[in-house]
Amino acid sequence: MTLRLRSVTAAVLFCAATAPALPAQPAKWAQQAKRITIMRDQYGVAHVYGKTDADAVFGMVFAQAEDDFNRVETNYITAMGRMAEVEGEKELWRDLRQKLFIDTLDMKAKYAESPAWLQAIMQGWAAGLNHYMVTHPQVKPRLITRFEPWMALTFTEGSIGGDIARISAPALEQFYAPRIGETPAPRTPGDIERDNAFQEPTGSNGFAFAPSVTASGHAILWINPHTSFYFRPEIHMVSDEGLKAYGAVTWGQPFIYQGFNDRNGWMHTTGGGDVLDEYLESVTERDGKVYYRVDGAEREMKARKIGLPYRKSDGTRGRKDVMAYFTHRGPIVRASEGKWVSVRIMQEPVKALQQSFLRTKTADWDGYRKVMDLRTNSSNNTVYADATGTIAFVNGDFIPKRDPRFDYTRAVDGSTSAVDWQGLHPLEETITVVNPATGWVMNTNNWPFTAAGPNSPNIAAFPKYMSQYQTENARGIHATRLLSNRKGFTIDDVIATAYDSYLPAFEGIVPPLLIAYDELPGADTLRARLAEPIAVLRAWDYRFGLASVGMTLGQFYGTEASRLRGEPAREHVLALARVVDRLTRDFGTWKTPWGEVNRFQRLDGRIDAVYDDSKPSIPVPFVSSQWGSLAAFSQSGVRTTKRIYGNTGNSFIAVVEFGPRIKARTSLAGGVSGDPASPYFLNQAERYAKGQFKDVNYYREDVEKNAVRRYSPGQ
């Protein structure tokens, strides 16, 4: 699920202070810690070694807490629907959204029913975080002073674009606030500005290359998630039970989300099938109960009181109780067309945690595919490669069966059971490509029907709901051009391909502007005023670069042009004039090289980062993925500075070659630590900005050779 992270408050909040003290288990945790070794390499990456898988989990969450306990804790505060307890009443409806799907009693029951091995993983997870708090009393939790094993089930999906977050919290407020006698909060100008602010296209890139197209004859995997920066750190976890995973972990989770071991690797890109459905329910309320109609008969809705505690402005505790309603499909989340709207999503936390952990221990495609039979990867695709030379693409493995007569991209009529889910499609029915003749597979959050060039799946062979994306995107066009009809890829070639500077989206943006300018009347003052900028754009090769003035004009004009669809041609020329004026005002001249505008800056460890034009920053050549840049770098949200400071896009990036001994390189935005005082807070920033990669210390001898610190958790 997507977790909207918030910054640390300055004081210890009442709720943390009044929480129960840690139980008398520090000795047990300390004993387990002795079985674990953490080695920090020259980049600060934690390499964790444990006797058991549970030991490795203990050590890796302890290391995460060392690097940024705030992000770890905040993820679980958010997942459990408790943000209002630290951030105040404004978070109540996001909390309700979580609690509609994640119920504490249900999670405890599911934990008790989990397989013994999974319980051991969750116990190791909780013990590692609790041991961190005991051994770091100077770190004051915002809310959670004791982690319980069952809490791991509240956050089992490492994606930045999960299912629950797709449900509108403001719509929940509009529906439920009046039912508790309150008026929904009015929309402010600030809310509207945030809604209209540019949001970087979500997602990631994944490429896999078969031995037939690589120079070494070994498969190569490209792992390139596009997330908000610092959403995932880089870590390595090893156990004597066969765990050897390296990669990116979403803060606080007990598994490597995107990564590799010595035999295979996995990359997840946002996409997959349509897995969230809404239903228009015909409702009758009488005698204090609510009924809805299905196939001509009434059914009573389930009602559950959900408590929403919150922190008042004076620091005291408040609480609101909401009576939430549920059909057999799921909770009521809004009203539309005079009807209530219920929603259905995947709710399989035990299976999801199993799948997320077990896939990191697989060794080949057969083993990975067997784990996929759990079918809980609902919001993501998988791009895969292994040491046998197998490459694969799977467009999501959780795909509910539905009647294809209905359009599930909008709320369907819930009065008929024909729209209900009919189980899940088996994997062999999903959109999958294994070992295509092209020798490569890719996904850029585009539709899956170009995943392997001419060997891609046929769109006509699948129901529409099988893919939530039905069109190509600019990155998909770019990737297909770069990957097609090529052989001899090396690791360096793959990196160069993924940082190729061409921006295909401008093929459809700049030429119409040039035509509009050329068609201006001779006496139009815009002709002389814009002659030089037009000349720059006419000569521009649609490539990014630090010295490129064309890139600067293209970025700002392209953003303006996206708001002018259907407007007269002269309006587009006027938009360029506004861009020229703005650049002149902000930078002294419109002839400003891109590297002066596009910057990387990390000033402190706050989750909601702030930026300052007067503080040091680093130039970055690559740009927003909306233009077709495979290497993505953009500032999402409202910008208050003159310069663009990236906060989303390329974050953790890896390339892996699966030979007899793997070769791997990675890059990370900033560094692994969220502490500005740490040497690992900004130590990777220069490399990241230049698209330079570091060699991974994967094998024990390499870790030992490059270790700058060796310790057990708590030492």
Side-chain angles (χ1 to χ4, degrees):
M1 66 197 68
T2 297
L3 301 179
R4 182 170 176 79
L5 306 179
R6 303 288 179 179
S7 57
V8 179
T9 53
V12 180
L13 299 177
F14 74 99
C15 42
T18 59
L22 286 167
Q25 295 188 39
K28 179 180 178 181
W29 301 330
Q31 191 63 34
Q32 185 174 7
K34 292 178 181 178
R35 303 198 300 264
I36 302 161
T37 298
I38 300 174
M39 286 185 273
R40 296 277 183 173
D41 67 18
Q42 70 270 45
Y43 303 105
V45 175
H47 303 260
V48 181
Y49 297 86
K51 296 290 185 182
T52 66
D53 288 350
D55 292 341
V57 167
F58 180 118
M60 67 95 79
V61 296
F62 184 96
Q64 290 181 63
E66 287 183 302
D67 288 335
D68 204 326
F69 180 77
N70 178 37
R71 290 178 186 268
V72 171
E73 186 194 14
T74 302
N75 274 350
Y76 285 90
I77 293 172
T78 307
M80 291 188 289
R82 301 186 65 186
M83 279 302 295
E85 295 179 55
V86 292
E87 292 287 354
E89 197 170 355
K90 68 181 187 297
E91 294 297 326
L92 279 176
W93 303 105
R94 289 189 180 88
D95 284 355
L96 176 62
R97 179 173 64 185
Q98 293 298 124
K99 289 182 175 180
L100 287 173
F101 300 95
I102 296 174
D103 176 70
T104 295
L105 293 177
D106 183 48
M107 293 300 107
K108 290 179 179 179
K110 283 181 165 57
Y111 166 76
E113 297 166 357
S114 298
W117 72 265
L118 189 62
Q119 287 189 9
I121 294 298
M122 290 186 272
Q123 290 162 7
W125 171 84
L129 292 173
N130 291 332
H131 186 59
Y132 171 80
M133 288 190 287
V134 166
T135 56
H136 293 75
Q138 73 278 14
V139 175
K140 304 301 182 184
R142 307 176 71 190
L143 180 65
I144 305 174
T145 56
R146 171 186 166 86
F147 284 86
E148 299 282 359
W150 61 265
M151 292 179 181
L153 291 173
T154 66
F155 184 27
T156 58
E157 183 185 350
S159 170
I160 197 168
D163 301 332
I164 294 178
R166 293 169 58 189
I167 295 161
S168 168
L172 280 174
E173 181 179 9
Q174 292 292 321
F175 183 83
Y176 281 107
R179 301 187 72 83
I180 59 173
E182 296 193 355
T183 302
R187 300 286 286 165
T188 67
D191 294 330
I192 296 170
E193 183 181 14
R194 281 187 289 274
D195 289 347
N196 293 333
F198 167 71
Q199 296 294 322
E200 173 73 3
T202 57
S204 310
N205 303 320
F207 306 151
F209 302 85
S212 61
V213 298
T214 65
S216 65
H218 305 305
I220 297 176
L221 179 66
W222 176 254
I223 298 172
N224 183 198
H226 295 165
T227 69
S228 54
F229 292 170
Y230 327 120
F231 184 73
R232 299 189 188 107
E234 180 176 356
I235 206 162
H236 184 195
M237 54 192 306
V238 181
S239 80
D240 294 346
E241 293 181 334
L243 182 64
K244 303 175 183 178
Y246 190 108
V249 56
T250 307
W251 288 105
Q253 290 190 321
F255 54 86
I256 300 295
Y257 180 67
Q258 290 159 321
F260 56 92
N261 57 42
D262 61 340
R263 298 297 299 170
N264 62 8
W266 52 96
M267 167 61 200
H268 301 304
T269 57
T270 300
D274 178 357
V275 297
L276 183 151
D277 287 340
E278 290 187 326
Y279 307 87
L280 295 168
E281 308 288 7
S282 300
V283 172
T284 301
E285 296 186 70
R286 65 175 182 271
D287 302 326
K289 297 181 180 180
V290 180
Y291 301 86
Y292 65 110
R293 298 189 68 81
V294 180
D295 296 337
E298 281 192 337
R299 300 186 187 185
E300 183 180 344
M301 283 195 188
K302 292 181 180 179
R304 174 161 60 91
K305 183 186 290 186
I306 296 179
L308 299 172
Y310 64 96
R311 181 182 186 271
K312 295 182 179 180
S313 58
D314 62 3
T316 60
R317 183 184 179 93
R319 176 188 171 100
K320 296 183 181 181
D321 293 321
V322 172
M323 188 64 73
Y325 295 94
F326 300 78
T327 71
H328 68 287
R329 293 152 178 151
I332 300 299
V333 295
R334 64 185 177 92
S336 177
E337 304 173 21
K339 298 186 178 183
W340 291 12
V341 179
S342 65
V343 68
R344 186 168 186 183
I345 63 174
M346 184 197 76
Q347 292 181 264
E348 294 282 0
V350 174
K351 286 185 178 181
L353 189 55
Q354 286 180 284
Q355 182 170 345
S356 293
F357 190 85
L358 288 174
R359 65 184 171 221
T360 70
K361 296 185 68 175
T362 59
D364 56 25
W365 176 241
D366 286 343
Y368 195 95
R369 170 127 175 10
K370 184 176 180 180
V371 171
M372 290 183 76
D373 276 328
L374 287 165
R375 291 179 290 176
T376 59
N377 196 15
S378 62
S379 65
N380 288 286
N381 310 308
T382 298
V383 178
Y384 172 92
D386 68 30
T388 72
T390 295
I391 64 171
F393 167 77
V394 181
N395 192 66
D397 55 49
F398 177 87
I399 310 290
K401 287 184 179 180
R402 280 156 284 189
D403 187 329
R405 293 176 299 166
F406 299 95
D407 179 7
Y408 298 96
T409 62
R410 60 186 67 190
V412 293
D413 181 4
S415 66
T416 171
S417 61
V419 298
D420 285 350
W421 290 2
Q422 303 159 22
L424 299 179
H425 284 278
L427 284 177
E428 56 267 23
E429 293 180 1
T430 61
I431 303 172
T432 302
V433 182
V434 181
N435 294 328
T438 51
W440 54 264
V441 295
M442 68 87 182
N443 187 257
T444 64
N445 318 114
N446 56 332
W447 64 353
F449 307 111
T450 52
N455 300 120
S456 300
N458 181 0
I459 189 172
F462 302 94
K464 188 175 181 180
Y465 64 72
M466 278 279 190
S467 173
Q468 64 175 285
Y469 299 133
Q470 291 291 310
T471 58
E472 186 59 283
N473 63 19
R475 279 180 290 134
I477 293 169
H478 194 186
T480 300
R481 292 176 182 176
L482 293 170
L483 301 180
S484 296
N485 302 314
R486 284 185 62 184
K487 292 190 175 183
F489 281 100
T490 65
I491 283 180
D492 288 334
D493 291 335
V494 172
I495 293 173
T497 298
Y499 281 79
D500 184 82
S501 61
Y502 189 71
L503 306 172
F506 285 105
E507 294 173 358
I509 295 172
V510 173
L513 170 66
L514 301 179
I515 292 171
Y517 173 83
D518 291 340
E519 292 179 348
L520 289 173
D524 196 313
T525 57
L526 287 174
R527 293 190 67 90
R529 180 181 170 192
L530 297 177
E532 281 192 274
I534 286 290
V536 169
L537 286 173
R538 206 184 295 276
W540 184 37
D541 57 4
Y542 305 155
R543 291 187 176 275
F544 62 68
L546 293 178
S548 175
V549 175
M551 182 65 247
T552 304
L553 289 171
Q555 166 70 32
F556 288 95
Y557 171 72
T559 303
E560 288 278 334
S562 65
R563 306 186 183 108
L564 295 174
R565 291 186 178 90
E567 295 292 326
R570 194 171 191 277
E571 291 300 316
H572 291 257
V573 182
L574 285 169
L576 178 62
R578 291 194 296 272
V579 165
V580 169
D581 291 345
R582 178 180 178 180
L583 290 170
T584 302
R585 181 179 66 252
D586 287 350
F587 298 99
T589 175
W590 63 265
K591 300 176 183 178
T592 302
W594 181 236
E596 289 297 314
V597 177
N598 201 49
R599 313 287 287 193
F600 178 93
Q601 187 179 76
R602 193 181 193 190
L603 299 177
D604 56 43
R606 282 183 286 189
I607 293 173
D608 289 332
V610 295
Y611 304 98
D612 189 334
D613 286 328
S614 68
K615 300 289 179 62
S617 59
I618 302 169
V620 176
F622 42 101
V623 303
S624 168
S625 68
Q626 67 175 329
W627 312 130
S629 180
L630 298 173
F633 184 89
S634 180
Q635 184 172 353
S636 186
V638 178
R639 182 159 60 90
T640 59
T641 54
K642 295 176 181 178
R643 285 171 158 171
I644 296 171
Y645 295 100
N647 59 17
T648 187
N650 277 19
S651 47
F652 167 81
I653 318 103
V655 58
V656 191
E657 181 176 284
F658 295 96
R661 284 176 62 88
I662 65 165
K663 298 177 182 178
R665 298 181 192 168
T666 61
S667 178
L668 186 71
V672 297
S673 175
D675 180 2
S678 168
Y680 309 122
F681 177 73
L682 207 59
N683 62 317
Q684 298 189 54
E686 289 280 359
R687 285 175 173 268
Y688 167 84
K690 295 176 181 177
Q692 296 175 345
F693 283 57
K694 62 185 182 295
D695 291 329
V696 166
N697 299 308
Y698 181 80
Y699 294 100
R700 182 70 180 250
E701 60 267 28
D702 295 323
V703 175
E704 297 269 7
K705 182 172 62 177
N706 292 289
V708 297
R709 184 186 173 204
R710 177 178 179 144
Y711 59 102
S712 292
Q715 287 183 339

